[in-house]
Amino acid sequence: LSFASAAQTQTRVPWETGQYLEYTVRLAGIRAGTGIMQVTGIDTMRGRATWRLHFNIKGSALFGAYHVDDSYDSWMDVESLNSLRFEQNLYEGGKHKIRNYDIFPSRSIYHQEGKEERKSVPDPLDDASFFFFVRRLPLEVGREYTFDQYFDPAANPVVIKVVRRDTINVEAGRFPAIVLQPRIKTNGLFSENGHAEIWLSDDEHRI
């Protein structure tokens, strides 16, 4: 680490380097693919220590006619938990898109590679870092949490609804869980027109 990043205070979080979580993705109750969420380590970005986060979803729909293999990589400041860089590598329905963003929280600006700088928001987060940010919330059942922190203001607000408590059976066993319904103004799993739900472990780890 550089001198600047070594001097940072690391905010307490419920994850650690090397954490690797794998999920089953279901569409209308039918297994449609897998997802992974990974903390690959602590990296340095523009002189700041950052969590290097990786998220991937892979699967198919419409009886295998539509394939998806989307990867998201995020560099999240260990002190402020702001997103500093975000990379998308998307393969959807035979189309391949790569988008890279540098995000500058101190100036509330973001820059997509190949385009001009645009206005961002205070304390910005991206698709991948939002997953980890949510794990730090108190998550009270029946409450909606609204955030204007998505780095592209056009996609705000992001709404996290805590739907209910539940138990869930997975390969590792049976666990108490909290069920969330995220909504964001972008296309994809968590769009406003969809109904996606996520089960997090009902403990301090929020897995």
Side-chain angles (χ1 to χ4, degrees), residues 19-169:
Q19 186 176 81
Y20 180 92
L21 308 173
E22 185 171 338
Y23 301 90
T24 296
V25 179
R26 296 184 182 274
L27 184 63
I30 300 172
R31 181 168 176 146
T34 57
I36 63 168
M37 192 183 299
Q38 183 178 9
V39 184
T40 61
I42 292 182
D43 203 349
T44 302
M45 177 61 60
R46 301 197 297 270
R48 301 286 296 178
T50 58
W51 292 106
R52 175 76 183 272
L53 311 174
H54 177 72
F55 174 56
N56 172 264
I57 184 167
K58 183 183 297 184
S60 60
L62 301 176
F63 304 101
Y66 188 88
H67 295 276
V68 172
D69 187 356
D70 290 352
S71 290
Y72 305 86
D73 287 276
S74 176
W75 285 258
M76 187 185 200
D77 190 291
V78 300
E79 183 175 12
S80 67
L81 301 184
N82 293 165
S83 177
L84 301 186
R85 183 170 170 84
F86 178 49
E87 297 180 356
Q88 295 178 324
N89 192 337
L90 311 178
Y91 180 89
E92 299 177 352
K95 297 179 180 179
H96 188 203
K97 297 179 181 177
I98 296 176
R99 302 188 187 104
N100 297 326
Y101 302 88
D102 283 300
I103 304 167
F104 302 90
S106 62
R107 297 193 290 134
S108 294
I109 291 292
Y110 76 93
H111 176 241
Q112 182 180 351
E113 196 172 276
K115 297 188 176 182
E116 295 182 353
E117 288 187 347
R118 293 188 178 182
K119 184 174 177 58
S120 187
V121 298
D123 301 319
L125 296 167
D126 56 58
D127 302 54
S129 59
F130 240 117
F131 273 96
F132 287 83
F133 173 79
V134 166
R135 292 172 63 185
R136 300 183 67 249
L137 300 178
L139 299 178
E140 299 173 16
V141 174
R143 183 173 172 184
E144 278 194 357
Y145 297 84
T146 302
F147 301 97
D148 290 314
Q149 286 179 246
Y150 192 79
F151 75 97
D152 180 354
N156 286 318
V158 175
V159 179
I160 308 294
K161 183 177 182 180
V162 186
V163 183
R164 63 188 181 277
R165 280 190 161 84
D166 197 0
T167 54
I168 187 168
N169 293 308

